[in-house]
Amino acid sequence: MSVRLRTERLVLRPFTEADAEPCAEINADPEVMRYIGDGRPRTAAQTREGVAKAVRRWEEHGWGTLAVTVASTGEFVGLAALAVPEFLPEILPAVEVGWRIGRRHWGRGYAPEAAREAIRFAFEDHGMDRLVSCIHRDNAASVRVAEKLGMTLERETTVPGLEVPCLVYELRP
């Protein structure tokens, strides 16, 4: 299945192995990773493993992590993801919409633009009836993105094992 989604400024497509290198640059940035998982940057090897997993998920489900590139240049700027938030069992079954944009591209509105298209894809092309976003309580920028997307706060909780404070935002079509 060939998926290529477009917005006014961006192209979103399934991850490929070639995305590991530019994604590793983003994942190595402590500021980008500050509120993701345990808050530590990821190594190039961890990113390659994550990209390989993302490729397999597309093959299995027909949806997953989308590489986000600038339409006019093809530059990789980050990702928008549809994923099962297995790290937070209390909200399952659920599909999470997430976003990660490289720091040099912050402030341009790429995160909400990419996430909005991923949401459209989930609801319209895959018939999903609920999406969530799990956001670290202190991540004000991602909270603003969720609110721009029309998501509402569903609950406050803690990620088991990491003891990270988490806000769960929800959106229905």
Side-chain angles (χ1 to χ4, degrees):
M1 178 169 108
S2 177
V3 174
R4 190 172 176 87
L5 310 174
R6 289 194 62 104
T7 69
E8 184 178 328
R9 302 178 298 162
L10 304 172
V11 172
L12 289 75
R13 56 164 176 74
F15 256 42
T16 67
E17 299 293 336
D19 295 316
E21 185 178 330
C23 191
E25 290 178 33
I26 292 170
N27 288 348
D29 186 329
E31 276 302 301
V32 171
M33 300 304 291
R34 180 176 175 191
Y35 297 119
I36 298 171
D38 63 6
R40 291 185 292 187
R42 297 206 176 114
T43 65
Q46 288 170 319
T47 297
R48 280 192 303 277
E49 183 179 310
V51 168
K53 188 175 181 182
V55 169
R56 286 192 305 276
R57 282 188 181 153
W58 269 98
E59 292 167 356
E60 293 169 11
H61 303 293
W63 52 266
T65 303
L66 294 152
V68 177
T69 61
V70 176
S72 62
T73 65
E75 181 182 7
F76 182 95
V77 297
L79 61 88
L82 296 171
V84 175
E86 295 169 353
F87 60 89
L88 198 56
E90 72 185 70
I91 65 169
L92 296 176
V95 174
E96 179 181 21
V97 60
W99 46 85
R100 185 176 315 154
I101 302 296
R103 187 169 15 157
R104 72 173 183 243
H105 299 286
W106 287 359
R108 298 180 190 179
Y110 289 161
E113 185 174 335
R116 194 171 286 111
E117 182 60 13
I119 290 167
R120 186 210 59 76
F121 178 70
F123 288 155
E124 294 180 15
D125 295 2
H126 288 279
M128 295 180 191
D129 62 1
R130 172 180 179 253
L131 291 172
V132 298
S133 283
C134 305
I135 302 171
H136 189 292
R137 181 183 60 215
D138 298 335
N139 190 344
S142 278
V143 166
R144 281 192 304 275
V145 170
E147 291 172 349
K148 282 181 186 178
L149 296 169
M151 302 185 93
T152 56
L153 182 62
E154 192 266 331
R155 75 177 72 190
E156 294 187 40
T157 190
T158 302
V159 176
L162 296 178
E163 305 315 311
V164 171
C166 180
L167 304 175
V168 178
Y169 280 79
E170 179 181 66
L171 184 66
R172 294 184 185 267

